[in-house]
Amino acid sequence: MTNVAYKDVYKRFELFTLINRRNPDWNLISQILGGVTTPDTEINGVHYLIIGSPRVIYTAHYDTAGDSDVVLQSKEYMPHIVSNSNNGILGADDKSGLTVISFMIEHHVPGLYLFFGDEESGASQSRDWAKSDFYTRYNLPIGSIKAAIAFDRKGYSDVIQTQRRSRCCSMEYAQTLSTILSMGGFHYKPADGVYTDTANMIHKIPECTNLSIGYFDQHSVTETQDMLFLQKMVNFMLNNHKTIAE
């Protein structure tokens, strides 16, 4: 069983939060990811990586809701809860998602990994991507992707089943994914969401969702991230990705 240490998850998250910008330098993001991603030749700002024969899209956005320099600080009585001591947003939305995905890439978890750079300003990149013939462009069998999972939801418990008041995944899928996640000691359940990049994929991918990853008060100076929860999610994905992709 793979067990990534807390200090390693913390350090990776800290590196990503140092690039806390509305329009970040992708090259800096790519370096933390290992420099292995490829720019999409058709959709400017989109980067991707294919590992194995993917059945699932895993996605996070690399822009944030503000331009804040970040210095991590922990709550006095809850050292695993971090915020930005610099009186600015933390950027856990969505540097936490990048952290999870970075370890999945490092451990060669099969998937189509997508990175979008304008989720906070309209998500035009994922919208254009979903309209394109990505199966042909990426040389993937048509219809081979069964689900798209974003790591971009506040809280501890949501498997998002609706976005923009429309169903983005079936109730059956949301319940099944909640049950799988419960194997890791989580308490997920189907929930209604607002909007992230997977909302733009619902006409191309059968099941599209977004998972809570332990941040709160996003887009504000009180934003926090539960680092123990983030570590737990990293290790769950590394050890249970085959079940999720079935």
Side-chain angles (χ1 to χ4, degrees):
M1 178 176 289
T2 302
N3 184 25
V4 178
Y6 178 89
K7 64 180 179 61
D8 295 327
V9 175
Y10 188 102
K11 181 63 176 178
R12 187 73 55 84
F13 175 77
E14 184 176 40
L15 286 173
F16 279 125
T17 60
L18 293 177
I19 315 167
N20 199 27
R21 294 290 183 267
R22 290 185 177 92
N23 297 296
D25 184 343
W26 170 257
N27 291 325
L28 297 176
I29 299 288
S30 181
Q31 287 175 22
I32 304 172
L33 291 169
V36 294
T37 57
T38 303
D40 191 298
T41 57
E42 187 169 313
I43 314 298
N44 186 44
V46 178
H47 300 262
Y48 72 97
L49 175 67
I50 297 171
I51 297 179
S53 300
R55 299 194 66 204
V56 179
I57 289 169
Y58 299 108
T59 184
H61 64 89
Y62 59 92
D63 60 320
T64 53
D67 297 320
S68 303
D69 293 330
V70 176
V71 178
L72 294 185
Q73 67 176 1
S74 299
K75 289 188 176 294
E76 183 176 359
Y77 298 108
M78 293 182 290
H80 60 287
I81 305 296
V82 299
S83 61
N84 183 6
S85 67
N86 228 6
N87 197 35
I89 68 168
L90 175 63
D93 175 9
D94 191 26
K95 298 306 193 293
S96 297
L98 288 175
T99 300
V100 174
I101 284 179
S102 71
F103 282 104
M104 294 172 69
I105 290 173
E106 183 178 312
H107 288 80
H108 308 292
V109 173
L112 169 54
Y113 295 89
L114 292 173
F115 305 91
F116 299 105
D118 69 346
E119 193 268 357
E120 299 290 4
S121 57
S124 64
Q125 293 174 8
S126 57
R127 185 166 57 251
D128 291 344
W129 182 89
K131 292 177 181 177
S132 70
D133 185 7
F134 57 87
Y135 280 115
T136 299
R137 194 163 70 257
Y138 296 169
N139 197 29
L140 294 172
I142 293 176
S144 58
I145 303 296
K146 73 158 196 170
I149 298 174
F151 298 99
D152 186 28
R153 176 67 175 174
K154 66 180 180 179
Y156 296 129
S157 62
D158 292 348
V159 174
I160 295 302
Q161 61 182 350
T162 66
Q163 299 186 63
R164 296 185 296 189
R165 299 183 180 181
S166 296
R167 182 160 289 282
C168 57
C169 74
S170 65
M171 174 64 79
E172 180 183 9
Y173 181 79
Q175 290 176 331
T176 298
L177 187 53
S178 298
T179 299
I180 292 170
L181 288 159
S182 72
M183 295 164 43
F186 295 106
H187 301 285
Y188 280 90
K189 61 184 183 300
D192 297 323
V194 182
Y195 182 78
T196 193
D197 289 302
T198 52
N200 289 325
M201 303 178 187
I202 61 175
H203 300 297
K204 288 286 187 73
I205 308 299
E207 308 286 3
C208 299
T209 189
N210 187 14
L211 298 182
S212 292
I213 50 173
Y215 65 67
F216 294 86
D217 294 336
Q218 67 275 18
H219 303 178
S220 75
V221 298
T222 59
E223 183 180 17
T224 60
Q225 172 64 48
D226 184 330
M227 295 303 299
L228 282 175
F229 189 90
L230 192 61
Q231 179 202 17
K232 189 175 180 180
M233 176 60 79
V234 166
N235 285 313
F236 181 84
M237 293 305 301
L238 297 184
N239 289 297
N240 296 277
H241 62 87
K242 292 182 179 178
T243 303
I244 289 174
E246 287 178 351

